Amino acid sequence: MITGQNSGRRIAIVGAGMAGLTAALAFAKTGAEVTVFEQAPEIKEVGAGIQITPNGARVLEALGCGDAMEEASLRAAAVVPMDGITGKPVTRFDLSAQTPPYRFFHRASLIGMIGRAAQAAGAKVYLGVRCTSVSLEGTLTTTEGQFESDLCLGADGIHSICRMFVSPPTEAQFTGQVAWRAVISARGIAPEARIWMAPGRHVVTYPLKDDILNIVAVEERDEWANEGWHHPDDPKHLRSAFEGCAPELQKILSDVEEPRLWGLFRHPVAKTWGARRIAILGDAAHPTLPFLAQGANMAIEDAFVLARCCDRSPSIEQALSDYQAARKPRVTRAIEAANANARNYHLSGVKRRVAHLGLKTLGAVAPDAFINRLGWLYDHDVTLG
């Protein structure tokens, strides 16, 4: 990225997650004076994996993280839809030719990697500091006092304080699904993302570095659970939800000791992503269901595009308008695709048999069709805009 209008601008970022730290890195690379405020006393992510697809990896490479990604992740070889009842693969979609590689990270490793790069580029990160309010003029009120900025970025997630100042409030809708996250120790697992599909439920498994298997399990139910995935749950509930599934899958779930449960909610994409000297990005602007592995990737793209728009324009308000125009259509399409996957993984009866036959045929006759169908997503390169 080329330093232009951002040089010397004071950028305040609320939240040190994926969106906030990538924004810190991107803005710092363009010469901005970046300060990040994180309410947690330390930056950490517990017990979860994350998939960085080629579109997200291009951004991180452009920001100088290519070698660090190679060291911190596993290269994904394939996506394998599984019959969750019989335990047999339905088909296999090869990912080995993806450029940059499709990768599996532990969230803690990815967050740490981006955070270190941002600080090396000059960003300052303050932990244990909670933002209580922001003004349209870029003034932050925090638990440590006030902070003046030329632009305040809300990367503070689904309960964003900053979103309240730029977009009308909206009500989330429960999807009728809950999800568990967990990790277990496992050796010798092929670097594949397996999608174990069963009527009304599914499980996604893939390996991480250091002999860890990441697990995300989703069940349809009428009773909702609290949003956010840090709620501990009894592992018996997880195992009970997948009784009758394939023995291999049940064995994986039997090793889970500390699952985290959360309810899945649909949030409308924010109507407005920026006002005066405040902008929002990532989950603060567009929470995404975990059925396309794009929540983090969209946040990473947001951060790069926002920094570039600001670097190109002497007017922050014009830059925020350009940012929203560039990002909103793509993010909306990704969210719609994720919502469709949520339905397709849980089919039953005749629809399930037809869908599995279609996948099997597609894998045999046109093995590249799956990847080609997602070309609009994976092949996109926001760094060229």
Side-chain angles (χ1 to χ4, degrees), residues 86-111:
T86 67
K88 296 180 179 179
V90 176
T91 190
R92 184 179 189 274
F93 297 115
D94 184 54
L95 295 174
S96 60
Q98 290 293 295
T99 306
Y102 192 122
R103 298 180 183 276
F104 301 143
F105 285 87
H106 194 289
R107 281 178 179 265
S109 297
L110 183 58
I111 287 285

Side-chain angles (χ1 to χ4, degrees), residues 87 101 110 133 136 166-167 193 197 199 222 231 267 281 354 362:
L110 183 58
S133 181
L136 290 174
V166 302
S167 192
M197 303 176 292
D222 294 329
H231 308 290
H267 296 255
L281 66 161
V354 170
L362 186 66

